[in-house]
Amino acid sequence: MKSIFLILLNTKRALEYLDDQDEIDLNIKSVFLFFYYGMVVYFLNLDIETVLINPFWDMTFVSSLFVFFGVLMSLGLHKINMWLKGNGSYADIQAVISHASIPITLSLSIIFFSKRIFFKDLDFDWKILYYLSWILTIKILIQGFLKYNNSNYHRMILNISPLLLFYIGLLIFKFMMFKEIYSIN
C-alpha cells in the first residue's frame, strides 16, 4: 500500500522502495494492481442490461484479461530490456508497468464515483482528469525504465516504445470512436 501512494508523490523513491522488495511480493502486488485496474474499467463501462452471465463472473473475467495482458506485456518488455542489456528483472519490469497504471486507475475511480454516485447532475468534462493521469503514467514509465536501463535515454525509449505505441493507438481509437458517436450529419 505504501508504494501506491509513494509512486504518485515521489516516483524515484517509490522505485527504490520497489527495488528493495522481494520478487514474489512484487509479483503479487503487480497482479493485484492489474486485477484492480480491470475491475475499475469493468465498472466504468457496466451496463446492467447487457451483462451476459452474472456481474461478478463478468467482472472476474474482464479483470483476469487485464492480468493476462499485463503479464504478457511485462514479459515482452522484459525481453526487450534483456536484449538492450538492461538490469531489470521480470518482477521489476512488471512492477513498473503495474504501478504506472495507478494514476489511470485512480482517475477512472474518481470519474466513476463522481459521474454515477456523487455528482450525477454536474456537467463537467471529466476527460481532463483522465488525460492528466496519462501524463503521470508516462512519467512513471520513463523514470522506471530509465532506472532499469542504466540511465540511458536511448535504451529507455526503445524499451517503452511498444508500450507507448499501444497507448497512443488506444487513445486514437477512443478518439475516433468518440468522434464517430458524436458526429453531426
Side-chain angles (χ1 to χ4, degrees), residues 149-162:
N149 282 302
N150 305 324
S151 296
N152 186 324
Y153 283 97
H154 294 82
R155 287 183 188 168
M156 180 271 305
I157 290 172
L158 283 174
N159 204 166
I160 66 170
S161 61

Side-chain angles (χ1 to χ4, degrees), residues 12 14-15 19 37 43 45 48-49 64 67 71 84-85 87 101 116 127 135 142 148 167 171 177 182:
K12 287 186 180 185
L15 291 170
D19 203 24
Y37 181 52
F43 282 116
N45 296 313
I48 202 69
E49 285 83 31
S64 298
V67 170
V71 167
L84 295 171
K85 297 181 180 27
N87 61 349
S101 71
R116 301 235 172 131
K127 285 182 250 154
I135 292 169
I142 288 171
Y148 296 117
Y167 283 150
L171 286 174
M177 292 301 292
Y182 293 105

Side-chain angles (χ1 to χ4, degrees), residues 40-51 55 58 112 116:
V40 170
V41 169
Y42 174 78
F43 282 116
L44 192 64
N45 296 313
L46 179 66
D47 184 13
I48 202 69
E49 285 83 31
T50 62
V51 173
D58 286 347
F112 173 76
R116 301 235 172 131

Side-chain angles (χ1 to χ4, degrees), residues 168-181:
I168 290 170
L170 187 64
L171 286 174
I172 290 172
F173 176 74
K174 282 186 169 189
F175 177 74
M176 297 303 283
M177 292 301 292
F178 179 78
K179 186 177 173 184
E180 184 178 308
I181 291 171

Side-chain angles (χ1 to χ4, degrees), residues 36-134:
Y36 184 70
Y37 181 52
M39 283 175 42
V40 170
V41 169
Y42 174 78
F43 282 116
L44 192 64
N45 296 313
L46 179 66
D47 184 13
I48 202 69
E49 285 83 31
T50 62
V51 173
L52 298 176
I53 302 170
N54 179 341
F56 174 76
W57 293 112
D58 286 347
M59 185 250 340
T60 303
F61 177 73
V62 168
S63 298
S64 298
L65 281 177
F66 273 78
V67 170
F68 174 74
F69 285 119
V71 167
L72 192 65
M73 192 178 309
S74 301
L75 182 63
L77 292 179
H78 173 64
K79 294 296 181 185
I80 293 171
N81 190 30
M82 286 177 28
W83 178 64
L84 295 171
K85 297 181 180 27
N87 61 349
S89 69
Y90 170 74
D92 294 332
I93 301 300
Q94 186 178 15
V96 168
I97 294 171
S98 65
H99 280 75
S101 71
I102 291 172
I104 296 171
T105 305
L106 287 177
S107 72
L108 289 176
S109 299
I110 291 169
I111 291 169
F112 173 76
F113 285 112
S114 299
K115 284 175 72 174
R116 301 235 172 131
I117 297 173
F118 297 121
F119 305 111
K120 292 179 187 177
D121 300 330
L122 181 65
D123 188 24
F124 181 72
D125 191 9
W126 293 99
K127 285 182 250 154
I128 295 167
L129 179 64
Y130 180 68
Y131 291 124
L132 288 175
S133 70
W134 275 96

